[in-house]
Amino acid sequence: MPKYIFVTGGVVSSLGKGLASASIGKLIEAKGLKVAVQKLDPYINVDPGTMNPYQHGEVYVTDDGAETDLDLGHYERFTESVFGKPNNVTTGQLYYSVIAKERRGDYLGATVQVVPHITDEIKERIREVSKGKRVDVVIVEVGGTVGDIESLPFLEAVRQLRLEVGRDNAVNIHLTLVPFIRAAGELKTKPTQHSVGRLREIGIQPDILLCRTEKKLSKNLKDKIALFCNMENDAVIEARDVQSIYEVPLTLQEQGLDRVISRFLHLDAKSGSLADWKKNVVDIALHPKYMVRIAVVGKYIELPDAYKSIYEALRHGGIANNTGLIFKKIDAERLEKGKAEKHLKDCDGILVPGGFGTRGVEGKIKAIQYARGNKIPYFGICLGMQCAVIEFARNVLGMKGANSTEFNKKSPYPVISLLEEQEKVTDLGGTMRLGAYPCNLKKGSLALKAYKNEKISERHRHRYEFTNYYLDVFEKAGMKITGQCPQGNLVEVVELDDHPWFVACQYHPEFRSKPDAAHPLFREFIRHALDYRELRLGSKLSVNGDFETLQNASAVKVS
C-alpha cells in the first residue's frame, strides 16, 4: 500500500498548491521513491476541454488523451512520472459515474447520497492512481479553497481515507497565506489560524503548514502559528516568494519539508540531493549567459496561464542554451490592424501557439508572413502550423482566399479541413484528436536533426488537418512535409526550404518538455534565435545575467 500526502489550500486561491504538490513530488523522488500525483477538481464540468481559457487557463493533454487541469503540467515537468486520465478527477466525472451506476441498479435501490456514494467514488479514484503500479507515495491535491461548498465532498473523502489507511500512512499538508500588511509593517497570522480552524471543523487536522509569504517568517512567528494551530513547531514551513518557480523544491528542502514528511510517514529512504537540479536548472535560470527576445503571437495574451506550457517549454529551451528569455506578448487581433514590422522587428524568434476560432487568425498569418519574408526563426504549434500553411498558400502559391474550413467553409482553397471522422461529431467535449500519436520524420529535415530519431510520438489536441490533396503543390513550391503520422498519412510537420529555421507542427511538443530535459524543438528554436540575435545585434550576451532585468523585460506586452 502506498503512503498518501493530501494537499489543501486556504484563505485565497492561486497560492500555488499545484507548484507545491509538484515540488513535494520532486523532493520525494530525490529520495529514490516513486510518486504519483493527482488533482481533485471541484468544478462540475467533466473536464476542462470545453472551458474558456480566460476562466481556466490552458488545457493540458496526457498521452492517453485526457484533457486535464494545467497543474498536471507542473506535476510532469517537476517529476519523472507520466500521468493520465486517473490523475485528474472532477466533480462532473464523479456524479456522471455515480448516476450511471444508479441507473444500472448497482446500488440495489438504496438512496444515493453524497455520503457514502460520492465520497466512496472519490476514495476509489484516489486508490486507482496506484493500482497495478509500483508507487511509494501518492500526492493528492484538492482544488479550491477550504470553505468552498464544492470542495466539501473531497475533504470528507480525505478525512475518511486517512482513517482507513492509518495515521502513519497519510499526512495532511495545508497551504495558507501569511500576508504582509504594509501600513502596519507586520506579517499577520490570523488568516492562517482561521483557515486551519475551518479545516479542523471539517475533521481534518493539518500535520504540516506551508505558509505563503513575501517576507521571512521569524522563529517567534512560526512558534505562534504552531501553538494556535495545534502543530509541531518544525512542521510550520515558510514558503516565500521566489524569482523562478524551479527554486521552490530547493527552498522547501532548505526549510526541512522532506525531513518532516519522512518523519510523519516513516519513510525509510535516502536524504535526497537536488544538487543537479540546482546546477543544471536553477542557476542557469537565474543567471543566464545569453538573452533572446521571443514574440508569442496569440489570442489569450492577457492571461499567462492560457499558454502556461508554451512559456515554460520556451524557458526550458533557454536553460538548455544558457539563455534568458524576454517574452514579447502580442495580441494577434492588434496585429491585424497594424504593420507587423512595428511589433516584430526587435524580436529574435516568433512563435504562434494553438487555439480555436477565427478571432486573431489574420494577425497570426501576418506575423508568419513577416517571419518567412525576413528569415526570422519561426515555430508554429497546432493552429500555428495551420496558419503557416494558409499564409504560404496565399502569398507563395497565389491561392487567393485559401483558408481553413474552420474559418471559411466556402474557401476556394480549403488547405486545412475537418477530418472525415469529425464531420458528424456533435458533442464538443473529448471528441477531438487527443493524446499521443506516432510520427515519422524525413531524413535531412530540421525536425530529424533536433529529435535524432526518425520515429517519434507526440500529443495532439485538434480537429482540423492539412488537406493532403494539396500536398504535392506545396512541396514543389518549397514547403516540405517533413513529418507524417502513419495512421492516415496525416501531416504533422512542415518546414521551408529557403529559411534558416522555419518549423511548424500539428502536435503540442510543449507537453513533453522539462526544465532539465528541454524538448528538442524548443531547444533548437532558441538556439537559432540566438544565432539570429547575434546576426541582428552583433551580440547574444545577457544583461549581466540579471534575472530581475529579464523578468521586468518579460512584462513587455502588445495588447
Side-chain angles (χ1 to χ4, degrees):
M1 184 182 72
K3 307 278 188 174
Y4 291 93
I5 298 174
F6 300 109
V7 181
T8 56
V11 185
V12 294
S13 59
S14 300
L15 281 180
K17 290 195 304 296
L19 282 171
S21 300
S23 298
I24 292 167
K26 186 71 181 175
L27 294 175
I28 300 299
E29 281 191 346
K31 294 177 174 293
L33 301 174
K34 298 284 278 186
V35 303
V37 194
Q38 184 182 52
K39 176 71 180 290
L40 305 179
D41 267 315
Y43 53 74
I44 299 176
N45 304 66
V46 172
D47 59 46
T50 59
M51 294 171 71
N52 190 323
Y54 285 118
Q55 291 188 16
H56 190 267
E58 77 169 4
V59 175
Y60 190 79
V61 178
T62 59
D63 277 355
D64 63 0
E67 295 177 287
T68 76
D69 184 81
L70 61 82
D71 280 325
L72 265 76
H74 293 314
Y75 305 160
E76 286 200 338
R77 285 190 284 271
F78 276 68
T79 71
E80 297 302 316
S81 300
V82 177
F83 303 123
K85 292 179 181 178
N87 297 87
N88 195 191
V89 179
T90 70
T91 295
Q93 292 172 14
L94 296 167
Y95 277 85
Y96 199 91
S97 175
V98 168
I99 291 171
K101 290 177 180 178
E102 185 272 332
R103 293 288 83 188
R104 289 196 304 265
D106 291 5
Y107 299 122
L108 302 176
T111 301
V112 179
Q113 298 176 287
V114 172
V115 182
H117 300 98
I118 297 296
T119 51
D120 284 350
E121 187 78 15
I122 295 170
K123 289 185 289 183
E124 181 57 32
R125 298 296 183 97
I126 293 172
R127 294 188 179 99
E128 187 181 345
V129 296
S130 59
K131 276 185 180 176
K133 305 173 187 175
R134 186 217 141 183
V135 176
D136 300 304
V137 179
V138 176
I139 302 165
V140 181
E141 176 194 347
V142 182
T145 305
V146 170
D148 295 346
I149 293 174
E150 297 93 338
S151 299
L152 288 175
F154 292 106
L155 295 172
E156 172 60 18
V158 165
R159 185 193 69 80
Q160 292 178 20
L161 189 57
R162 182 168 188 188
L163 291 175
E164 292 171 15
V165 302
R167 295 195 174 276
D168 291 343
N169 295 311
V171 62
N172 294 321
I173 298 179
H174 190 53
L175 185 68
T176 186
L177 179 68
V178 180
F180 178 71
I181 308 302
R182 296 191 182 278
E186 288 182 298
L187 288 163
K188 292 295 184 180
T189 66
K190 195 63 72 176
T192 292
Q193 294 177 45
H194 284 306
S195 181
V196 171
R198 193 68 182 267
L199 197 60
R200 290 169 68 184
E201 288 175 9
I202 298 168
I204 297 174
Q205 166 65 50
D207 304 294
I208 300 170
L209 273 184
L210 297 184
C211 299
R212 289 287 286 112
T213 175
E214 58 181 291
K215 301 286 185 179
K216 182 178 177 59
L217 299 183
S218 67
K219 184 179 182 304
N220 287 341
L221 210 62
K222 286 184 178 181
D223 291 346
K224 177 182 178 181
I225 292 171
L227 176 65
F228 283 96
C229 295
N230 193 34
M231 305 178 64
E232 297 178 26
N233 289 38
D234 66 347
V236 178
I237 306 293
E238 174 186 296
R240 207 185 330 169
D241 295 349
V242 291
Q243 291 177 310
S244 167
I245 60 172
Y246 301 118
E247 288 182 87
V248 176
L250 297 177
T251 59
L252 294 181
Q253 188 180 57
E254 288 169 6
Q255 291 284 313
L257 178 60
D258 55 339
R259 175 179 50 78
V260 177
I261 290 174
S262 294
R263 185 176 78 233
F264 277 113
L265 294 180
H266 304 281
L267 294 176
D268 185 15
K270 61 183 181 181
S271 59
S273 172
L274 294 178
D276 288 344
W277 182 265
K278 181 180 185 302
K279 176 184 176 183
N280 299 325
V281 175
V282 176
D283 289 347
I284 296 173
L286 293 180
H287 306 290
K289 183 177 181 181
Y290 307 115
M291 183 173 70
V292 291
R293 184 188 296 267
I294 300 297
V296 178
V297 183
K299 60 190 288 186
Y300 308 116
I301 288 301
E302 294 88 347
L303 184 70
D305 279 354
Y307 300 120
K308 173 61 74 176
S309 291
I310 292 284
Y311 291 132
E312 293 309 314
L314 284 168
R315 290 188 178 100
H316 304 162
I319 290 169
N321 288 281
N322 205 344
T323 299
L325 271 65
I326 299 172
F327 294 123
K328 188 166 187 179
K329 303 173 182 180
I330 300 176
D331 188 317
E333 281 189 287
R334 183 181 178 91
L335 204 57
E336 290 178 348
K337 303 168 186 175
K339 291 186 176 181
E341 182 180 11
K342 176 184 176 182
H343 301 298
L344 298 171
K345 64 182 179 181
D346 60 345
C347 296
D348 307 306
I350 298 170
L351 184 147
V352 174
F356 298 91
T358 187
R359 183 170 64 85
V361 164
E362 294 302 321
K364 294 179 180 183
I365 291 172
K366 188 180 287 188
I368 295 165
Q369 183 180 13
Y370 186 82
R372 180 180 58 79
N374 291 277
K375 302 290 192 286
I376 302 172
Y378 173 74
F379 193 6
I381 295 173
C382 197
L383 182 59
M385 187 207 88
Q386 296 174 6
C387 287
V389 169
I390 295 168
E391 189 280 326
F392 192 84
R394 292 179 184 177
N395 300 317
V396 177
L397 295 173
M399 295 179 176
K400 188 176 180 181
N403 217 324
S404 165
T405 56
E406 180 182 4
F407 313 132
N408 181 5
K409 295 186 186 303
K410 297 181 179 180
S411 169
Y413 301 102
V415 291
I416 302 294
S417 57
L418 197 63
L419 280 172
E420 187 177 341
E421 59 263 31
Q422 288 281 328
E423 289 178 356
K424 296 182 180 179
V425 170
T426 55
D427 291 344
L428 296 181
T431 56
M432 286 184 278
R433 186 177 173 216
L434 291 166
Y437 286 84
C439 173
N440 297 333
L441 301 177
K442 286 187 179 178
K443 291 181 179 178
S445 65
L446 293 171
L448 181 57
K449 289 178 183 176
Y451 282 98
K452 296 180 172 57
N453 194 335
E454 289 185 14
K455 296 183 182 298
I456 62 169
S457 175
E458 292 284 5
R459 301 175 188 178
H460 296 67
R461 184 175 183 256
H462 62 101
R463 297 183 193 277
Y464 293 80
E465 304 276 356
F466 183 99
T467 307
N468 281 352
Y469 173 81
Y470 297 99
L471 196 148
D472 289 341
V473 69
F474 270 81
E475 291 225 312
K476 287 176 183 176
M479 177 171 274
K480 299 301 183 185
I481 311 304
T482 60
Q484 285 183 286
C485 177
Q487 302 170 3
N489 291 322
L490 300 174
V491 172
E492 297 280 20
V493 186
V494 299
E495 301 177 12
L496 290 183
D497 267 348
D498 59 345
H499 195 288
W501 208 87
F502 188 107
V503 177
C505 54
Q506 183 60 76
Y507 49 78
H508 287 269
E510 68 270 24
F511 296 147
R512 285 274 178 85
S513 190
K514 294 177 182 285
D516 51 353
H519 189 282
L521 293 182
F522 282 92
R523 182 194 67 225
E524 291 305 297
F525 175 53
I526 299 301
R527 185 170 73 83
H528 282 81
L530 272 172
D531 292 341
Y532 181 82
R533 180 180 180 82
E534 189 169 31
L535 184 68
R536 183 171 69 89
L537 297 177
S539 174
K540 52 187 178 182
L541 290 175
S542 173
V543 182
N544 302 319
D546 183 352
F547 183 84
E548 188 172 348
T549 300
L550 294 175
Q551 285 293 84
N552 291 337
S554 292
V556 173
K557 181 171 69 174
V558 180
S559 59

